Amino acid sequence: MKKLSDKVTFKHGAVISNRMVQHKDKWGEADAFPMAVANAVFGVVKKYVFDNFIIGYRISPEEINPDNVGYTWHEATKLIDELTNKFDFDYIHLSLPDYKSKPKDSNKTFAQLVRPVMGQDTKLIIVGNVMNQADAEDALNYTDLVTAGKAQIIDASFSAKVVAGEDDKIIKRCRLRKKKVKY
């Protein structure tokens, strides 16, 4: 399985944001670099790997820092549309602060905004503040598959406890202990 990931604001914004792309050559088109990477990955997979190799693309649908540097959900959605309609991505993975997150200029969640532009056979995965069984079940209203990042790190048995209906046994916080080190 290969996951293409553009999780760094400046790097991703610099290649998909019309405000940030400064090239005057073939890379001057906002989506040129991500499309070239996807083309290369699919070419290698087609040439060297078995047919059911899973390829996905992970993206934060909007990353704007306080200096207004980054990219908007409009740009990310345009890229997802192009990627999933040109290439046979198996999934798009939205990295979110909360699975119900919405952009400032919409009353829809990012998942609801992205889903309509995705290729027909492409699945949607979301991650973001899924911390218990109720969150996991509710998140499935927005997506095909839910991932639990922080919850799984805090409690390595999180998924097993959710499946078993043992929400009350999920460890919800972890404490860091300061250790004195002698030199």
Side-chain angles (χ1 to χ4, degrees):
M1 181 164 90
K2 177 63 183 165
K3 174 171 59 176
L4 304 181
S5 181
D6 286 320
K7 187 62 185 108
V8 179
T9 302
F10 181 75
K11 183 176 18 171
H12 200 195
V15 297
I16 74 164
S17 173
N18 289 321
R19 292 172 292 142
M20 294 181 67
V21 174
Q22 302 295 316
H23 294 278
K24 303 293 182 210
D25 56 11
K26 71 178 183 174
W27 303 111
E29 294 294 319
D31 297 343
F33 185 73
M35 296 298 281
V37 170
N39 191 50
V41 168
F42 276 90
V44 168
V45 168
K46 183 177 181 179
K47 186 173 181 179
Y48 297 107
V49 184
F50 55 89
D51 289 341
N52 342 356
F53 194 75
I54 298 170
I55 303 175
Y57 195 91
R58 182 173 190 237
I59 187 169
S60 294
E62 184 168 71
E63 289 194 356
I64 304 289
N65 72 19
D67 296 325
N68 204 29
V69 175
Y71 58 93
T72 68
W73 72 269
H74 301 278
E75 292 166 312
T77 302
K78 180 179 178 279
L79 175 62
I80 291 167
D81 181 22
E82 292 176 15
L83 286 168
T84 61
N85 286 294
K86 181 172 181 180
F87 301 100
D88 291 327
F89 276 97
D90 295 290
Y91 67 90
I92 294 296
H93 183 171
L94 295 185
S95 178
L96 303 164
D98 188 283
Y99 68 93
K100 294 186 279 189
S101 295
K102 298 175 183 176
K104 290 178 183 175
D105 63 348
S106 177
N107 62 353
K108 294 183 178 182
T109 67
F110 286 110
Q112 291 169 320
L113 293 165
V114 167
R115 166 95 57 204
V117 303
M118 290 174 39
Q120 184 176 359
D121 296 327
T122 306
K123 300 299 181 196
L124 182 61
I125 300 173
I126 57 176
V127 65
N129 205 29
V130 175
M131 298 301 291
N132 56 44
Q133 185 170 352
D135 291 343
E137 289 172 357
D138 185 47
L140 286 170
N141 291 314
Y142 303 96
T143 189
D144 299 305
L145 186 64
V146 176
T147 59
K150 184 172 28 172
Q152 193 71 38
I153 292 169
I154 292 170
D155 185 342
S157 299
F158 173 81
S159 299
K161 289 175 183 175
V162 167
V163 170
E166 298 174 335
D167 198 55
D168 58 321
K169 295 181 181 177
I170 294 172
I171 300 168
K172 308 242 188 300
R173 286 196 249 163
C174 63
R175 282 186 290 170
L176 299 176
R177 295 183 190 154
K178 292 185 178 182
K179 202 175 192 182
K180 291 183 180 179
V181 179
K182 292 182 181 182
Y183 293 100

